[in-house]
């Protein structure tokens, strides 16, 4: 049989399309004539191409389709004398009148990272990998390491898990799609904490995912096709156990500190978490047990998230309103038409966040308003703001846990000398920035001993 390679659409809305046909001489056993002719006929006998010479072992043959149906075609091969030769494939089908929609992402696709002061890793979705995006799709983003990675040390790890879900949602509530893990054994150079990581995630039409990790500081790249490492039921019992304990701790804190949560709902959730703990302890290695526990744990986490929002939102709402009031006071002194319009927009966004009890939006908006307020005061006050910073550092020097006391004192002395002679923002601001770098980073509550293996944004 003469082996053929055919190129054609499986479905189309057109009535005339082209068939690409190529003779695969290297894949065919036996003698093949030097001159070959092909005839393509529709199986309903309504159309035929006639005999067409395959010049240079490749040819394009126009096809005519019958509308609104599946069109079957047969291929016959001849030599120049008209002798038939068997071929493979010898037939194919094209559906006319229907075009299958392009494959799309069923949900947002991204990686699990720590964002801001979140105490749980969340799904961070890169632009281009949002729900319903046509495949193939590609997204890029930047994150930072949370720990030192020493070359040759297998205990130093960076773990980049991929999830499907909703952007900003806790990773535990999302569907795991696999992960890439990089250890010190994979690196040739020391990678310090806080190093930038450039991430590229590609998903093809078959939903095969490829993750590329690039460390610009040491110029090393890792690329890996992601095999689905966590299949249904193949969950880590230790990680589930840890998540149950953390959820119980969070629930206890909400019960103690919030006066607005529904205590009956909290009690019901605690019973569910304790029951899941018992079930997991009795079947830590059982496939079905882990599957059922994970399904119920996800539902429990969703309920916990609702309780958290209900318990935390009044406080965040108060912070948001306070930030708005502070900005109004600032604008009375330093405002202009542009900043007044910004205030109006902030108020609209705040009303929307409060109406929908959107905890994440309210937190982010409060931060934006405070930053905007600071920028206006900073601009209006000139060097006075910088002098007040230096005075504050000097007056409260011993109350700060400086990383390097000697260096901090030296910087403050240098700033005070500038203030006594010719203080300017250009001279004092770099010193203030260096002083802030000497302050200890705020400690974030740890989820587990593996917390710092995640990246952060």
């Amino acid at each position: 049989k003469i082996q053929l390679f055919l190129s054609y659409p499986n479905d189309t809305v057109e009535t005339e399309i082209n068939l690409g046909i190529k003779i695969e001489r290297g894949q065919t056993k036996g003698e093949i004539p030097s001159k070959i002719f092909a005839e393509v006929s529709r199986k309903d006998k309504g159309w035929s191409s006639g005999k067409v010479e395959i010049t240079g072992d490749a040819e394009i043959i126009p096809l005519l389709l019958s509308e609104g149906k599946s069109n079957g075609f047969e291929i016959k091969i001849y030599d120049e004398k008209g002798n038939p030769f068997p071929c493979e494939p010898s037939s194919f089908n094209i559906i006319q009148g229907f075009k299958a929609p392009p494959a799309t992402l069923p949900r947002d696709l991204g990686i699990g990272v720590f964002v801001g002061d979140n105490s749980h890793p969340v799904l961070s979705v890169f632009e281009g990998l949002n729900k319903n995006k046509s495949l193939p799709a590609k997204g890029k983003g930047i994150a930072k390491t949370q720990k030192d990675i020493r070359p040759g040390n297998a205990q130093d790890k960076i773990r980049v898990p991929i999830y499907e879900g909703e952007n900003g949602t806790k990773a535990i509530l999302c569907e795991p799609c696999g992960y890439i893990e990089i250890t010190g054994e994979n690196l040739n150079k020391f990678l310090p904490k806080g190093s930038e990581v450039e991430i590229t995630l590609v998903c093809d039409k078959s939903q095969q995912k490829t993750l590329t990790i690039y460390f610009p500081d040491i110029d090393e790249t890792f690329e890996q096709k992601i095999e689905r490492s966590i299949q249904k039921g193949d969950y880590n019992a230790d990680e589930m156990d840890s998540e149950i304990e953390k959820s119980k701790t969070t629930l206890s804190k909400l019960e103690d500190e919030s006066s607005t949560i529904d205590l009956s709902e909290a009690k019901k959730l605690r019973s569910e978490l304790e029951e899941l703990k018992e079930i997991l302890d009795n079947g830590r290695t059982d496939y079905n047990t882990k599957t059922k526990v994970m399904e119920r744990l996800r539902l429990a986490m969703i309920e916990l998230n609702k309780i958290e929002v209900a318990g935390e939102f009044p406080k965040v709402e108060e912070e948001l309103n306070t930030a708005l009031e502070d900005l109004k006071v600032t604008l009375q002194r330093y405002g202009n038409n542009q900043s007044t319009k910004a205030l109006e927009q902030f108020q609209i966004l705040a009303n929307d966040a409060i109406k929908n009890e959107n905890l994440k939006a309210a937190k982010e908006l409060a931060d934006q308003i405070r930053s905007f307020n600071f920028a206006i005061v900073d601009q209006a006050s000139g060097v006075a703001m910088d002098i007040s910073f230096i005075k504050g550092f000097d007056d409260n020097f011993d109350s700060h846990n400086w990383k390097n006391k000697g260096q901090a004192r030296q910087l403050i002395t240098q700033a005070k000398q500038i203030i006594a002679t010719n203080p300017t923002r250009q001279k004092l601001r770099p010193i203030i920035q260096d002083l802030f770098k000497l302050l200890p980073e705020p400690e974030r509550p740890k989820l587990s001993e593996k917390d710092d293996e995640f990246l952060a944004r």
Side-chain angles (χ1 to χ4, degrees), residues 324-386:
L324 280 169
E325 291 302 317
D326 290 344
L327 180 58
K328 289 176 184 177
V329 172
T330 297
L331 295 187
Q332 287 175 359
R333 295 182 63 187
Y334 308 118
N336 54 33
N337 289 336
Q338 186 176 359
S339 59
T340 301
K341 288 180 180 179
L343 173 62
E344 293 173 357
Q345 186 62 34
F346 280 137
Q347 187 67 64
I348 292 171
L349 294 172
N351 292 341
D352 184 65
I354 292 170
K355 178 182 177 181
N356 296 304
E357 292 193 353
N358 189 327
L359 185 65
K360 182 173 181 287
K363 282 183 175 181
E364 291 177 352
L365 185 59
D367 287 339
Q368 290 173 14
I369 294 171
R370 284 190 286 263
S371 297
F372 184 68
N373 192 359
F374 178 84
I376 291 174
V377 174
D378 187 34
Q379 183 67 31
S381 60
V383 72
M385 174 73 78
D386 300 82

Side-chain angles (χ1 to χ4, degrees), residues 165-437:
E166 184 177 346
N167 190 31
T169 304
K170 290 179 182 177
I172 189 68
L173 302 179
C174 301
E175 186 66 26
C177 300
Y179 64 91
I180 183 172
E181 187 173 88
I182 300 168
T183 74
E185 290 183 315
N186 306 125
L187 300 182
N188 295 316
K189 298 177 182 177
F190 176 73
L191 186 68
K193 175 183 176 180
S195 295
E196 193 171 272
V197 184
E198 296 179 8
I199 304 161
T200 303
L201 179 57
V202 177
C203 184
D204 66 18
K205 289 184 177 181
S206 67
Q207 297 215 31
Q208 170 71 60
K209 300 165 183 68
T210 302
L211 189 64
T212 303
I213 306 292
Y214 174 60
F215 301 107
D217 290 348
I218 58 175
D219 193 27
E220 291 197 38
T221 301
F222 298 86
E223 181 174 299
Q224 182 174 316
K225 286 190 175 182
I226 303 299
E227 302 299 332
R228 193 177 179 84
S229 61
I230 306 177
Q231 301 294 343
K232 188 177 177 66
D234 187 21
Y235 298 108
N236 187 303
D238 290 338
E239 290 182 2
M240 285 192 287
D241 191 33
S242 175
E243 196 60 50
I244 291 171
E245 291 303 318
K246 286 178 285 187
S247 298
K248 289 164 65 177
T249 300
T250 300
L251 191 58
S252 296
K253 184 177 179 182
L254 288 168
E255 289 171 327
D256 292 340
E257 298 180 0
S258 176
S259 60
T260 59
I261 69 168
D262 187 328
L263 293 177
S264 63
E265 290 297 321
K267 182 178 179 181
K268 188 188 303 181
L269 179 56
R270 180 173 294 281
S271 296
E272 171 69 358
L273 291 170
E274 289 174 349
E275 184 176 336
L276 290 178
K277 167 74 171 172
E278 184 178 351
I279 294 172
L280 184 62
D281 286 344
N282 292 329
R284 299 180 71 84
T285 60
D286 182 66
Y287 179 98
N288 292 325
T289 298
K290 289 191 291 183
T291 300
K292 291 175 182 178
V293 169
M294 192 63 197
E295 289 172 352
R296 287 174 59 179
L297 179 56
R298 282 203 180 121
L299 294 175
M301 290 294 295
I302 292 172
E303 289 304 312
L304 178 60
N305 189 59
K306 291 179 182 178
I307 293 174
E308 279 187 280
V309 171
E312 192 175 351
F313 193 79
K315 179 182 176 183
V316 174
E317 181 182 358
E318 183 180 351
E319 291 177 358
L320 178 56
N321 287 326
T322 299
L324 280 169
E325 291 302 317
D326 290 344
L327 180 58
K328 289 176 184 177
V329 172
T330 297
L331 295 187
Q332 287 175 359
R333 295 182 63 187
Y334 308 118
N336 54 33
N337 289 336
Q338 186 176 359
S339 59
T340 301
K341 288 180 180 179
L343 173 62
E344 293 173 357
Q345 186 62 34
F346 280 137
Q347 187 67 64
I348 292 171
L349 294 172
N351 292 341
D352 184 65
I354 292 170
K355 178 182 177 181
N356 296 304
E357 292 193 353
N358 189 327
L359 185 65
K360 182 173 181 287
K363 282 183 175 181
E364 291 177 352
L365 185 59
D367 287 339
Q368 290 173 14
I369 294 171
R370 284 190 286 263
S371 297
F372 184 68
N373 192 359
F374 178 84
I376 291 174
V377 174
D378 187 34
Q379 183 67 31
S381 60
V383 72
M385 174 73 78
D386 300 82
I387 293 173
S388 68
F389 269 121
I390 297 299
K391 186 177 185 306
F393 283 135
D394 191 28
D395 291 345
N396 302 287
F397 185 85
D398 291 332
S399 66
H400 294 300
N401 185 23
W402 299 103
K403 294 179 181 177
N404 187 323
K405 270 194 171 185
Q407 186 180 354
R409 176 52 71 191
Q410 185 179 358
L411 287 169
I412 292 173
T413 300
Q414 179 186 348
K416 289 168 71 175
Q417 291 171 351
I418 294 172
I419 293 170
T421 54
N422 181 27
T424 65
R425 174 177 291 181
Q426 290 73 19
K427 293 178 181 178
L428 292 177
R429 188 55 58 95
I431 297 175
I432 293 170
Q433 290 171 344
D434 288 340
L435 284 167
F436 272 113
K437 291 176 183 177

Side-chain angles (χ1 to χ4, degrees), residues 101-129:
T104 60
L105 284 173
R107 289 179 287 182
D108 292 339
L109 179 65
I111 65 170
V113 297
F114 281 96
V115 178
D117 60 355
N118 283 340
S119 58
H120 291 263
V122 299
L123 172 61
S124 177
V125 176
F126 301 137
E127 186 66 33
L129 294 174

Side-chain angles (χ1 to χ4, degrees), residues 43-89:
K43 288 184 178 179
D44 64 4
K45 309 299 182 185
W47 176 88
S48 173
S49 67
K51 292 181 180 179
V52 178
E53 184 176 358
I54 310 299
T55 306
D57 283 349
E59 193 62 59
I60 293 177
I61 301 176
L63 305 181
L64 181 64
L65 305 180
S66 183
E67 293 187 30
K69 61 190 297 186
S70 177
N71 290 254
F73 291 91
E74 293 179 336
I75 305 174
K76 293 182 179 178
I77 299 294
Y78 303 91
D79 64 12
E80 59 183 328
K81 296 181 180 179
N83 298 314
F85 283 76
C87 65
E88 186 176 31

